[in-house]
């Protein structure tokens, strides 16, 4: 169903999943496949009249066994809303679901890297509006996590730990923090309102987190997303990605046994640079790999900090 081809010039895999062309595209509310199956109503992906959080295999998978996995995580049985409007206890529950999926998928032979993510808004290609995220189990360690492991090696220590400490020392780009986690606009953010939410303690994956840390992480994520929505007073599109340790079993792989790599952090890449202007990846970003930004991280941070306070 899917085919991986190695792109020599880029040194990276490309995943061909052509059946995805036919996936459900922005259905009307009445035909939402992520809503519960109401008595007498049409069957949806979830054969129950109600649920809290639902996880199932993506029907249009980018990866399938024995070459990885693709799952959908539905945050609520209510069609409207977002991570911002869920009850705080539900967001906390979601952290436990993430942890459980990381454990199960990560234990599979064919999954070397578990990536939990959410695409929000048509600006980033969302095809279903019902609040949900996704999980890909990659049959290899993809380039971005591999670059983070290379940063660990370059710094001779955990890069997310070192970067978070530097942000806390500087303070200008810190947005919100509690005992468990810190949200900041990174010193060298690529996107105008890019934010990283990092666990304060060094935790390679959610499996090493204490229950209170999961609760604290949920609180910071929700405060941030509410702040995003308040920033321009509109639902704020973003790509949200959870980075954790690789789950590759081979000892010589970057995330294998004995490797120090991995520190739970959540990265947000929002495409908006103003209330109504999108940042496009164009010549320099695509052809050279160099982002050209027209905002300064310190100014974005101060606007976002105010928005988070306003939304609290
Ligand atoms: Zn729905
Ligand atoms: Zn660390
Ligand atoms: Zn990262």
């Amino acid at each position: 169903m899917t085919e991986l081809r190695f792109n020599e010039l880029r040194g990276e895999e490309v995943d061909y999943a052509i059946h995805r062309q036919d996936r459900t595209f922005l259905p009307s509310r009445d035909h939402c496949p992520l809503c519960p199956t109401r008595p007498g109503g049409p069957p949806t992906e979830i054969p129950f009249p109600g649920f809290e959080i639902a996880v199932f295999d993506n029907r249009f998978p980018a990866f399938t066994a024995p070459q990885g996995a693709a799952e959908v995580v539905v945050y609520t049985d209510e069609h409207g809303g977002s991570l911002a409007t869920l009850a705080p206890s539900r967001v906390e529950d979601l952290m436990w679901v993430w942890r459980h999926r990381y454990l199960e998928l990560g234990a599979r032979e064919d999954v070397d890297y578990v990536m939990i993510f959410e695409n929000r808004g048509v600006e980033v290609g969302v095809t279903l509006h019902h609040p949900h995220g996704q999980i890909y189990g990659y049959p290899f360690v993809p380039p971005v996590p591999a670059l983070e492991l290379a940063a660990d090696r370059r710094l001779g220590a955990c890069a997310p730990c070192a970067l978070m400490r530097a942000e806390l020392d500087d303070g200008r780009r810190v947005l919100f923090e509690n005992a468990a986690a810190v949200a900041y606009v990174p010193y060298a953010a690529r996107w105008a309102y890019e934010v990283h939410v990092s666990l304060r303690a060094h935790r390679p994956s959610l499996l090493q987190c204490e229950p209170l840390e999961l609760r604290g992480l949920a609180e910071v994520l929700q405060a941030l997303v509410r702040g995003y929505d308040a920033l321009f007073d509109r639902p704020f599109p973003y790509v949200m990605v959870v980075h954790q340790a690789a789950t590759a079993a081979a000892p010589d792989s970057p995330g294998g046994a004995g490797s120090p790599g991995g520190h739970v952090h959540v990265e947000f890449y929002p495409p908006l640079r103003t209330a109504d202007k999108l940042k496009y990846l164009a010549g320099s970003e695509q052809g050279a790999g160099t982002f050209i930004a027209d905002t300064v991280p310190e100014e974005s941070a101060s606007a976002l900090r105010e928005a988070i306070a306003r939304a609290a």
Side-chain angles (χ1 to χ4, degrees), residues 8-177:
E8 285 292 351
L9 271 184
R10 293 285 176 124
E12 67 191 16
E13 299 285 353
V14 179
D15 180 52
Y16 296 87
I18 51 177
H19 54 279
R20 285 174 54 79
Q21 285 286 31
D22 303 323
R23 68 188 186 275
T24 318
F25 181 77
L26 295 175
S28 73
R29 195 189 174 104
D30 295 341
H31 295 93
C32 174
L34 307 185
C35 273
T37 299
R38 310 277 184 207
T44 70
E45 293 286 330
I46 303 154
F48 302 102
F51 61 88
E52 292 188 352
I53 295 174
V55 180
F56 52 87
D57 284 334
N58 196 321
R59 228 162 39 90
F60 302 94
F63 298 98
T64 45
Q67 277 210 309
E71 296 185 338
V72 177
V73 183
V74 186
Y75 300 165
T76 166
D77 61 5
E78 284 176 39
H79 183 78
S82 70
L83 207 51
T85 59
L86 293 177
S89 62
R90 179 64 59 84
V91 184
E92 186 181 348
D93 292 345
L94 182 63
M95 302 298 107
W96 286 94
V97 170
W98 286 358
R99 185 184 200 265
H100 177 253
R101 297 321 301 149
Y102 177 86
L103 176 67
E104 273 209 1
L105 292 174
R108 274 172 48 170
E109 283 282 301
D110 61 335
V111 173
D112 283 358
Y113 193 83
V114 177
M115 197 178 85
I116 297 160
F117 65 100
E118 178 187 337
N119 300 327
R120 182 185 182 204
V122 288
E123 294 87 347
V124 297
V126 150
T127 52
L128 300 172
H129 283 309
H130 195 117
H132 74 286
Q134 301 182 65
I135 306 177
Y136 281 178
Y138 293 85
F140 52 86
V141 177
V144 172
L147 283 170
E148 296 194 345
L149 292 171
D152 289 353
R153 287 193 288 272
R154 201 164 59 238
L155 296 177
C158 171
C161 273
L163 293 170
M164 175 181 51
R165 264 196 305 275
E167 293 295 349
L168 286 168
D169 285 347
D170 183 303
R172 285 177 298 165
R173 292 171 300 274
V174 174
L175 303 175
F176 187 84
E177 54 182 309

Side-chain angles (χ1 to χ4, degrees), residues 75 83 98 115-126 132-134 136 138 144 190-191 193-197 221 224-225 228 235-243 265-272 278-279 281 291:
Y75 300 165
L83 207 51
W98 286 358
M115 197 178 85
I116 297 160
F117 65 100
E118 178 187 337
N119 300 327
R120 182 185 182 204
V122 288
E123 294 87 347
V124 297
V126 150
H132 74 286
Q134 301 182 65
Y136 281 178
Y138 293 85
V144 172
R190 305 165 118 200
W191 303 89
Y193 294 98
E194 178 172 338
V195 172
H196 294 190
V197 175
L221 292 177
L224 172 63
V225 176
Y228 270 152
F236 198 81
Y238 58 70
V239 172
M240 174 187 82
V241 167
V242 185
H243 281 153
H265 62 281
V266 186
E267 303 193 2
F268 288 80
Y269 322 127
L272 288 180
L278 289 169
K279 164 74 181 171
L281 299 190
F291 265 67

